[in-house]
Amino acid sequence: MEKRDDLFSKSYIIAILALFSCLMWGSAVPTIKIGYKLFEISGDETFHKILFAGFRFFIAGMMILIISVLSGKSIKIYRNEIRRVSLLGLLQTAIHYTLFYIGLSNTSGTKGSIMTATGTLFPVILAHFFYKEDKLNNKKIIGLIMGFAGVIIVNLNGARLGGGFTLTGEGFVMITGLTGAFSAIYTKKIAGFIDTFLVTGYQLVIGSLFLILVGYFGGARLEFTNQNIWLLLYLAFASASAFSIWTILLKYNGVGRVSIYRFTIPLFGTFLSYILLDERLLGPNVILSIALVSISIILINIDGVISDKILE
């Protein structure tokens, strides 16, 4: 019977699971916009957005822990593990999404999407310095450039960027790229000796409590209806499934090999925004972006694919 670490290290398994996670994260973009309407959150109500995010991630974390209990797993963690998981929750959920929501509220959607996409570069680049098996080579560098170009093309949409650069706008969104990269590296470190579902569940709960407190102290309150509760549950499921799968993949693989797939998140977001929000779908731009991102994934993972074929 195939070992779990061998199974989750196969290139086609990584591709399937990573793309599903990115689909879930990409679906969150139009779903959150729908949520703003259902919760009646206006553009300048930053603390309401943070509170909305807090509820989303709290429910997601509880989903994971409840599933763990129902499957017969113990959700008990030791004192030293609580410290590590809490640090991850503050970094990956609390700080990351506080900066992200504030940043997006102070910049345009087009610039925000592009700045978010640049954050995809950081995990692959940082992995070069942290892991011997994740070094950059010519293929990865070319792949990164092509993937980054694809994300820019699909997000430009003919819009003029303009407006300059501000620390609390574009700056905060760009910083989330770094927090996300360090979170991925730290996740891989602690997932080696703490159950991956516990890591994901507890970090989401701990980080979300911080977001909820920030939202409440900022004066935000949310009114719940049948419609927005179902939407909130979907967003929670998307986070729970995506974070759980991502943590498992990071445990058994290099950070750079997994994180490159985050390039597809804006692509999924664009297609689903067209379907759910009736936004204009770019023709040639989207086709070119898909081609660039696909080639980028192939270039970065081709060595792993060859290795899998040799081992089979």
Side-chain angles (χ1 to χ4, degrees):
M1 187 173 180
E2 195 166 27
K3 292 181 180 179
R4 177 177 292 185
D5 53 348
D6 292 335
L7 178 63
F8 286 115
S9 295
K10 285 190 172 294
S11 295
Y12 70 92
I13 295 295
I14 296 173
I16 293 172
L17 295 180
L19 288 173
F20 175 79
S21 295
C22 293
L23 172 62
M24 290 294 97
W25 279 320
S27 72
V29 175
T31 308
I32 287 172
K33 288 186 177 182
I34 295 173
Y36 288 159
K37 294 180 180 179
L38 295 180
F39 280 101
E40 299 182 351
I41 300 174
S42 61
D44 59 346
E45 292 179 326
T46 302
F47 287 105
H48 287 73
K49 296 176 182 178
I50 293 175
L51 183 61
F52 180 28
F55 282 125
R56 168 193 173 187
F57 295 122
F58 178 80
I59 296 173
M62 293 304 298
M63 280 182 176
I64 295 173
L65 295 178
I66 291 172
I67 291 173
S68 296
V69 171
L70 294 177
S71 62
K73 289 186 177 181
S74 172
I75 60 173
K76 179 182 179 180
I77 58 175
Y78 298 100
R79 183 175 300 178
N80 62 325
E81 295 175 341
I82 294 176
R83 178 176 57 83
R84 293 188 179 97
V85 174
S86 296
L87 178 59
L88 180 62
L90 289 175
L91 180 63
Q92 183 165 293
T93 299
I95 296 175
H96 181 90
Y97 283 102
T98 297
L99 292 173
F100 184 73
Y101 278 95
I102 293 176
L104 282 184
S105 67
N106 292 317
T107 187
S108 67
T110 298
K111 292 183 72 175
S113 297
I114 293 173
M115 299 305 292
T116 301
T118 62
T120 310
L121 292 169
F122 291 121
V124 181
I125 296 173
L126 287 180
H128 172 80
F129 300 99
F130 282 87
Y131 304 107
K132 294 181 180 180
E133 73 277 9
D134 240 342
K135 296 294 183 182
L136 287 173
N137 53 34
N138 290 336
K139 293 175 187 175
K140 287 186 178 182
I141 293 172
I142 295 173
L144 285 171
I145 293 172
M146 296 184 71
F148 179 53
V151 171
I152 291 179
I153 290 172
V154 80
N155 281 291
L156 281 178
N157 197 14
R160 296 180 180 179
L161 293 180
F165 182 96
T166 62
L167 175 62
T168 57
E170 297 80 8
F172 275 12
V173 177
M174 182 175 242
I175 292 172
T176 62
L178 276 174
T179 59
F182 282 113
S183 296
I185 291 172
Y186 189 60
T187 296
K188 180 175 176 61
K189 179 180 179 180
I190 66 175
F193 51 87
I194 305 176
D195 183 84
T196 52
F197 283 95
L198 295 186
V199 170
T200 307
Y202 278 116
Q203 75 88 5
L204 283 170
V205 170
I206 293 170
S208 66
L209 290 176
F210 178 86
L211 291 173
I212 291 172
L213 288 175
V214 169
Y216 268 106
F217 280 116
R221 300 292 185 272
L222 296 179
E223 294 186 8
F224 294 96
T225 64
N226 289 333
Q227 283 186 313
N228 60 36
I229 286 178
W230 280 110
L231 180 134
L232 190 61
L233 288 174
Y234 171 76
L235 282 170
F237 166 77
S239 296
S241 58
F243 274 115
S244 296
I245 292 172
W246 205 257
T247 302
I248 292 173
L249 291 177
L250 288 173
K251 178 178 180 178
Y252 295 108
N253 300 281
V255 174
R257 191 181 182 194
V258 176
S259 295
I260 186 61
Y261 286 95
R262 293 180 68 91
F263 272 125
T264 62
I265 296 176
L267 298 180
F268 285 128
T270 300
F271 278 114
L272 292 173
S273 293
Y274 168 74
I275 295 171
L276 299 176
L277 303 176
D278 198 27
E279 293 184 357
R280 186 169 70 90
L281 183 65
L282 303 176
N285 284 19
V286 169
I287 295 174
L288 179 58
S289 296
I290 292 174
L292 287 172
V293 170
S294 299
I295 294 172
S296 123
I297 293 174
I298 293 172
L299 283 174
I300 289 179
N301 289 281
I302 191 168
D303 293 334
V305 172
I306 294 173
S307 298
D308 286 347
K309 292 299 181 183
I310 293 174
L311 292 173
E312 287 177 351

